[in-house]
Amino acid sequence: MKMLKSLTLLVLMTSIAKKVHCFNAAYVGQFSTQMDIETWIFYDNQNRGGLLDLLSTISDKESLGMTPFLIITQEVEWHLRDFIKANILSVVYVKDNASNDEILSIMNSSMDGWHQKYVLFITKDTLKPYEKWLPLFHWCHTNDYFNTMLMDFEATTLLEYDHFVTHQVLKTTLKDFLYYRKYFSDTHGYPIRSTLGNNPPRASFWYNAQGELQFGGYFALGLSYFAQLYNFSLVFDIISELDYYDERICLKSIRSNEADVCADGLPMGLGFMTTQPSEITYSYLIVPYDQPLDKFYYFIRPFNADVWLMLAGSLIYNVALLCLINWLQKGSQDVGFNALNTLLTMANLPYRKLKLKGWREEFVHIILSLTGFMIANWYLSILYSFFTSRLYSTYISELKDLVTHNVTIMIDEFEWLLLNLTAESPYILQQLKVVDNAELIHNRRNLVPTYAYYSQYDKNAYYLDQQIYMQRPVMKQLDLDLHPVMGGIPMRSNYPFEDKLHSLFNHLMESGIYEGIIREVFAVDISRGKLKYFESEKNEVESLGLEYFHLPAALLVVGYGMASMCFIVEVLINKCSKKHKRY
């Protein structure tokens, strides 16, 4: 019902049959042809004598043609941009002898986000002197309507406003007006207020030896190319001198109208206009690269605790069994002899004949030989397969591997905000660790493989390219697309040069200049010491250290210990045997 009250008439028609009394209807057709108008929007709050009377008298079928039009007479609570996707021309009825605040407010409320569209003011009053229309054009300039014209009903004169040099009302023609808007290239230093901070490779800044501000990054450089192309003057507001900044600060500056744009790229969907994205990109994870294992450690630490316990248990059991059989048959245990033989059989090495009687000797001999053969050869076959295969640690090929290897994903608060705006995998959400920007920058810049890192492809490539001279990288980009990202340079609402910014950044992407800028940004940051090429691994012969002899030394100590224990046991048993014989 509100919408019905807001619109006086919405008509799709070809003409309205009556004779034109004072309006040059042919000029309307000229606008339609030269400007390729797809929808006319008429604004008039006058009950009589305005555009409504004009429309009721148009008889020329060619004046509007098949073009639909919309008439608005009072303020509306919605924006035309939300549901009209066509090339429009807004025609606004104004007067020179009264305030036009009401009709301008009606137009402004419905044209939010469309201030760069063409607006034609029309009046029944005489246009001369031109200076009397300065308040109208000053209002347009202040409210970012830079494509405005003024015409009288007879269509004898067309006026425009010089926004950049004289700031005066000038006479023009429709052809000249359109040509200048399409091909203008000199704003005579019109200022662009922009925030600037360090967020490589998208934006960065520094000062040279003379203390002059220097800047780089794809979006910052793209904005400077835009300024050079149209002779704008860039006025930067440095929002942080640190190596990082919170992207939400630049959005706050736009919201408070302290900046026109941000010299940075941000995703769409944050409640701000951005330059039109020329492609759909994805976010990715940087994860630790699976590193080759040092295989010699299989000699230094061959078994875990469970295997050592099993081997020790088997050894003790076999020694105790042989000693028991010897004691039952001969009355002596021969602990040392049996322990040595058991070790030799477990290692599948030649051993001395067992001191057993009858068929028991052959039976135990077969059992020990088979056991030793199986244990030794099974272990050697496993060891051989390890040595002849390339073994790697922390192999990550899918998201669930992050949980398996307990790899934490380090992010900052802004990235956490982006992840929570999307329905990401639970494998990602449960591994997140939110840290401050300084810690994240340090770890990601140095590619610390203890963590994984989340970002878009441009940042990932920026940091991973430091590894190009390494034989085997430290980290890699996980080849799994996360949520799609579309974005560009954020700008304040109704920025008058929005379409020009769209065109420039689309050209940078489609022409391939974007890739050259990214390479230049990387090279500059390498030269400034912000990044570094990681040194390649050097294959050198090194002297063996003590760590290589831990296991042999341990086995030697164990061997001496067992020999000592066997000697002590033999002595004690011998003494006990003599005492028993004495009694």
Side-chain angles (χ1 to χ4, degrees), residues 473-536:
V474 178
M475 304 197 76
K476 65 178 180 180
Q477 179 174 284
L478 190 61
D479 192 20
L480 292 173
D481 298 339
L482 302 183
H483 69 271
V485 177
M486 295 185 293
I489 286 186
M491 65 190 79
R492 63 179 174 83
S493 179
N494 298 311
Y495 187 55
F497 308 108
E498 175 185 340
D499 54 337
K500 302 296 183 183
L501 269 176
H502 291 329
S503 299
L504 176 80
F505 277 93
N506 282 335
H507 175 71
L508 291 179
M509 179 64 71
E510 294 169 358
S511 63
I513 298 176
Y514 164 81
E515 296 179 358
I517 296 176
I518 291 295
R519 288 194 295 269
E520 178 186 352
V521 170
F522 180 81
V524 169
D525 286 350
I526 286 287
S527 65
R528 292 174 52 223
K530 291 296 182 180
L531 297 178
K532 63 181 179 180
Y533 287 120
F534 293 167
E535 293 185 4
S536 179

Side-chain angles (χ1 to χ4, degrees), residues 212-348:
E212 299 172 340
L213 176 66
Q214 308 291 313
F215 56 89
Y218 168 64
F219 288 104
L221 289 175
L223 193 60
S224 72
Y225 298 156
F226 178 72
Q228 295 174 31
L229 181 63
Y230 295 104
N231 193 20
F232 287 105
S233 61
L234 274 175
V235 181
F236 283 119
D237 176 21
I238 307 299
I239 56 180
S240 175
E241 296 283 349
L242 301 175
D243 286 343
Y244 56 86
Y245 78 99
D246 189 336
E247 289 94 330
R248 290 172 292 185
I249 298 178
C250 75
L251 300 180
K252 182 179 179 181
S253 298
I254 290 179
R255 185 184 294 111
S256 61
N257 202 29
E258 297 174 0
D260 300 317
V261 298
C262 294
D264 198 353
L266 294 177
M268 299 177 66
L270 298 178
F272 294 87
M273 294 297 302
T274 65
T275 52
Q276 291 177 352
S278 54
E279 64 176 349
I280 300 176
T281 60
Y282 289 85
S283 299
Y284 298 91
L285 290 176
I286 298 179
V287 298
Y289 211 109
D290 40 303
Q291 297 299 317
L293 295 174
D294 294 324
K295 299 176 183 178
F296 72 89
Y297 280 107
Y298 283 109
F299 288 110
I300 298 175
R301 294 189 294 269
F303 310 120
N304 62 18
D306 294 336
V307 177
W308 280 118
L309 289 174
M310 184 193 70
L311 292 175
S314 300
L315 178 64
I316 295 172
Y317 173 79
N318 287 334
V319 172
L321 180 63
L322 291 174
C323 290
L324 177 62
I325 295 174
N326 284 145
W327 182 73
L328 292 174
Q329 291 184 345
K330 300 189 304 179
S332 61
Q333 291 79 18
D334 292 329
V335 178
F337 176 81
N338 290 326
L340 179 61
N341 265 358
T342 302
L343 285 173
L344 291 174
T345 57
M346 292 182 68
N348 197 30

Side-chain angles (χ1 to χ4, degrees), residues 557-576:
V557 171
V558 170
Y560 283 148
M562 291 180 64
S564 300
M565 288 294 296
C566 290
F567 175 74
I568 294 172
V569 171
E570 289 284 358
V571 170
L572 293 175
I573 292 175
N574 187 43
K575 287 184 177 182
C576 290

